[in-house]
Amino acid sequence: MSSVRATVLGQERARGRNLKLAVGLLLAVLAGPGVSALDNGLALTPTMGWLHWERFTCNVDCQEDPENCISEQLFMQMAELMVSDGWKAVGYEYVCIDDCWLASQRDENGRLKADPKRFPNGIQHLANYVHSKGLKLGIYQDVGTHTCAGYPGSYGYYDIDAQTFADWGVDLLKFDGCNYKNLESLKEGYRHMSFALNNTGRRILYSCEWPLYIRPFQQPNYTEIRQYCNHWRNFGDIFDSWNSVKGILAWTASNQESLVPAAGPGGWNDPDMLVIGNFGLSWEQQITQMALWAIMAAPLFMSNDLRHINPQSKSLLQNKDVIAVNQDPLGKQGYRLRKEKDFEVWERPLSNLAWAVAVLNQKEIGGPQNYVFSISVLGKGLGCSPACHITQILPEKKELGLYEWTSHLKVRVNPTGTVLLKLKPIQNESGCFQLPHLR
Ligand code: GLA
């Protein structure tokens, strides 16, 4: 047990509280990477689900726009579709409410309440419905006095709010960082809510935005943040545009030295929602988002309208091979390996000595471009040593065959698109690596 983990647990004991999550602790320790994580046993692989914000924002006008306003009906419809349209079967599990679900005031006991017009049956009823579908419910609050959209925040009410969420049967809390008093109270608030959630005894996945809000003033301490959060946003909000997706990728690559070691089972960097299936990304750009979110071991929260999604986007979001890369149990985040003219090569180590490799063509003019590179640069020189079998996963599945360490690979990539590959080392029956022609 690391000294940081010991300190955190010690602090908790000192507060006379029990985690009651021994199983979770054991799982997290068994699966744990070098840096220890929040001991609630959750998010051992990146969380998958649906979150309303990017697509439905703060639409509270149910009179004018009943189909798209933030209401219990919206979440019930999404929950139903997540089961009937195969989303749950491939791993999307959490149906998540973002900002703008609250009434403008707390109740007479200081407890949060949902807007009574838009959530007439309350959140507990919605949680029961979501659970009846075999899914989990996520909710949103803020560490400060108000949420980003101006609804009552949790500041001064962390314990009451955590208990309220637990009483309602909530399974995930997205905890935003708007309207905080000062940096110290922001950090203290994130820590306090983590303890408060654990103290309820209910397993509630804790999604933070802590590093995003402190980064303008100081470098986030990821060792500490991992102790408290299951994932954390580092960068501004995603928009439904290529500019936004490419900005997130560029920022992530330029900060990968600090981000990549922070990720692992139990705690993940969160580059924000998948906007696949909406209006702003071309087909190639949707492929790029899916492939790179898999390489980055990112939580996969779709923010789209599952009632009206085109079959192509749906099949991309439900692609089992890409999801398997994202959910790989080794739990190591990938990184940008090289940037050469308009091409970027990203790679991610996977379990069983396999690697995922993404080749992205950043050129925004012209047609498909060839990129040829030496196999020996991949996987720290070991990805294909002495040989490997390469499968192309995206844009479509294709067996590319056997490659020796000395060979080159040529991929053809459309502008702003990505080719995603999986490399498997060649082994003989006794588990030793062997060149294919020697077998
Ligand atoms: C912030 C968050 C977003 C969303 C909005 C809601 O901007 O970063 O993801 O939750 O608040 O107001």
Side-chain angles (χ1 to χ4, degrees):
M1 185 182 283
S2 75
S3 61
V4 187
R5 186 197 295 271
T7 316
V8 172
L9 291 179
Q11 283 168 353
E12 262 206 309
R13 286 194 198 100
R15 288 169 189 231
R17 296 159 175 168
N18 281 326
L19 268 178
K20 295 181 191 165
L21 296 172
V23 179
L25 172 67
L26 184 65
L27 283 175
V29 169
L30 288 176
V35 191
S36 54
L38 173 61
D39 292 338
N40 61 6
L42 296 169
L44 297 182
T45 61
T47 314
M48 293 176 68
W50 183 92
L51 175 62
H52 95 239
W53 187 255
E54 193 288 320
R55 177 63 189 253
F56 295 95
T57 63
C58 193
N59 181 350
V60 292
D61 193 349
C62 292
Q63 209 98 40
E64 256 314 294
D65 196 5
E67 211 205 330
N68 300 302
C69 66
I70 308 311
S71 68
E72 64 183 25
Q73 180 191 294
L74 182 71
F75 298 96
M76 288 164 101
Q77 287 177 346
M78 293 305 157
E80 210 172 311
L81 287 167
M82 276 176 70
V83 179
S84 62
D85 284 2
W87 302 100
K88 176 173 178 258
V90 296
Y92 296 96
E93 189 182 14
Y94 288 81
V95 181
C96 301
I97 308 170
D98 207 288
D99 206 347
C100 305
W101 62 274
L102 282 157
S104 57
Q105 305 275 334
R106 289 173 178 269
D107 74 9
E108 55 288 357
N109 302 314
R111 289 186 33 128
L112 291 170
K113 63 175 196 231
D115 181 280
K117 285 220 177 69
R118 294 180 287 117
F119 294 84
N121 297 295
I123 301 297
Q124 187 161 12
H125 177 265
L126 182 55
N128 290 343
Y129 181 81
V130 167
H131 294 157
S132 76
K133 301 273 167 202
L135 297 165
K136 298 196 156 117
L137 182 73
I139 210 161
Y140 167 100
Q141 244 300 355
D142 190 286
V143 72
T145 53
H146 294 86
T147 71
C148 296
Y151 291 85
S154 281
Y155 183 75
Y157 294 90
Y158 299 132
D159 296 298
I160 296 180
D161 290 355
Q163 194 54 53
T164 305
F165 296 143
D167 293 346
W168 286 345
V170 164
D171 305 290
L172 177 153
L173 173 64
K174 171 175 173 177
F175 208 41
D176 212 337
C178 276
N179 304 306
Y180 61 88
K181 299 249 178 226
N182 54 53
L183 271 194
E184 268 326 300
S185 80
L186 175 99
K187 291 193 253 179
E188 186 41 39
Y190 272 106
R191 289 189 286 255
H192 192 143
M193 188 50 109
S194 182
F195 287 129
L197 292 172
N198 266 340
N199 290 336
T200 66
R202 184 174 177 84
R203 283 184 178 214
I204 301 180
L205 200 151
Y206 187 37
S207 167
C208 301
E209 299 202 29
W210 175 349
L212 164 62
Y213 285 91
I214 64 166
R215 203 171 260 281
F217 312 101
Q218 51 187 243
Q219 178 67 20
N221 177 350
Y222 286 107
T223 310
E224 183 189 18
I225 292 168
R226 253 189 91 78
Q227 302 292 318
Y228 294 97
C229 303
N230 291 117
H231 27 88
W232 47 85
R233 285 270 308 282
N234 294 297
F235 191 70
D237 294 359
I238 197 161
F239 280 64
D240 186 14
S241 74
W242 174 238
N243 233 10
S244 173
V245 170
K246 100 179 162 189
I248 293 171
L249 291 175
W251 185 88
T252 303
S254 59
N255 288 280
Q256 60 189 12
E257 261 94 73
S258 62
L259 299 179
V260 171
W268 310 97
N269 292 295
D270 178 4
D272 214 358
M273 293 157 267
L274 294 169
V275 293
I276 295 165
N278 291 323
F279 308 98
L281 299 187
S282 71
W283 172 237
E284 299 303 330
Q285 294 157 3
Q286 295 180 53
I287 290 174
T288 295
Q289 192 186 26
M290 194 68 190
L292 271 299
W293 262 235
I295 293 279
M296 292 189 292
L300 299 180
F301 285 105
M302 304 178 283
S303 192
N304 50 18
D305 190 344
L306 301 179
R307 300 165 300 189
H308 311 284
I309 185 163
N310 67 74
Q312 206 181 21
S313 300
K314 182 179 171 195
S315 71
L316 176 61
L317 287 161
Q318 294 194 355
N319 183 311
K320 289 187 181 152
D321 295 308
V322 192
I323 292 174
V325 171
N326 176 271
Q327 296 287 300
D328 186 82
L330 187 64
K332 286 204 184 295
Q333 179 170 340
Y335 47 84
R336 191 171 71 189
L337 178 67
R338 53 164 57 182
K339 187 171 162 61
E340 217 175 23
K341 295 196 186 129
D342 295 311
F343 283 96
E344 293 187 9
V345 180
W346 292 63
E347 66 177 13
R348 174 178 175 189
L350 304 175
S351 47
N352 300 320
L353 303 173
W355 289 78
V357 173
V359 182
L360 161 62
N361 175 6
Q362 285 280 16
K363 200 162 181 160
E364 296 182 20
I365 187 169
Q369 300 280 320
N370 289 335
Y371 182 65
V372 183
F373 60 104
S374 164
I375 289 285
S376 64
V377 302
L378 300 175
K380 304 193 189 296
L382 296 172
C384 282
S385 173
C388 64
H389 184 93
I390 304 184
T391 306
Q392 178 182 298
I393 296 177
L394 290 174
E396 63 278 322
K397 193 163 181 176
K398 229 188 323 189
E399 297 305 336
L400 303 188
L402 289 166
Y403 284 78
E404 292 184 14
W405 192 70
T406 48
S407 56
H408 284 72
L409 181 67
K410 179 162 102 180
V411 289
R412 195 166 170 77
V413 198
N414 292 346
T416 67
T418 292
V419 168
L420 180 67
L421 309 166
K422 184 168 175 186
L423 279 50
K424 281 198 217 139
I426 303 298
Q427 291 171 283
N428 66 14
E429 301 72 32
S430 54
C432 297
F433 301 110
Q434 205 173 6
L435 283 173
H437 62 266
L438 299 179
R439 279 199 285 176

